[in-house]
Amino acid sequence: VCSTTGNADAPENADRFVRWMKRKSTEPQMPFKHCAYAVLGLGDTNYDVFCAMGNAIDRRLGELGGTRAMKAAMADEATGLEETVEPWVGSVIARLADACRGRGGTAEGASAKVVVVEKT
């Protein structure tokens, strides 16, 4: 779960994680190759860039070997976060469990062995 702040920036509590993920030296390690993940982005369509961090984290987790358990969800403060957040919360654990057991996920050719990597 990650919001977008300022001009498409990571919030303070996710900044180090996002910078680490973006480093070129992180790629060869493929640190998420045995991880299933699900991303919930929080944003506001009244701003120029909507859910930039949620989209960036979702994309980068996949590039670093992760198995996407479900399509990233992007919640909009302008229209009501609960329309997206509540269904995501209601299904995320089951979808992650399925991906970890090899019965789901959307990343091609990856298999998940670790349940969840969480950074909030």
Side-chain angles (χ1 to χ4, degrees), residues 106-120:
T106 60
E108 296 176 3
S111 66
K113 295 179 184 172
V114 177
V115 177
V116 179
V117 172
E118 181 180 314
K119 179 69 179 170
T120 57

Side-chain angles (χ1 to χ4, degrees), residues 89-111:
V89 168
S91 64
V92 68
I93 298 300
R95 299 290 296 272
L96 285 167
D98 284 346
C100 289
R101 293 182 184 112
R103 294 189 303 226
T106 60
E108 296 176 3
S111 66

Side-chain angles (χ1 to χ4, degrees), residues 8-39:
D9 299 318
E12 186 177 334
N13 64 349
D15 186 56
R16 287 183 63 197
F17 177 66
V18 170
R19 284 187 288 125
W20 172 79
M21 286 179 58
K22 288 182 177 180
R23 284 188 210 138
K24 293 211 182 282
S25 62
T26 303
E27 256 181 70
Q29 302 168 28
M30 294 301 277
F32 299 102
K33 66 182 171 190
H34 299 294
C35 295
Y37 69 91
V39 173

Side-chain angles (χ1 to χ4, degrees), residues 40-89:
L40 173 61
L42 305 175
D44 189 329
T45 52
N46 290 312
Y47 289 88
D48 292 336
V49 183
F50 176 64
C51 286
M53 281 299 101
N55 286 311
I57 290 170
D58 179 63
R59 181 180 59 253
R60 192 65 176 151
L61 285 169
E63 291 170 354
L64 296 174
T67 299
R68 183 183 293 118
M70 59 195 286
K71 184 179 178 203
M74 301 301 154
D76 186 1
E77 176 68 27
T79 60
L81 296 172
E82 33 310 300
E83 290 177 19
T84 302
V85 173
E86 289 178 11
W88 187 87
V89 168

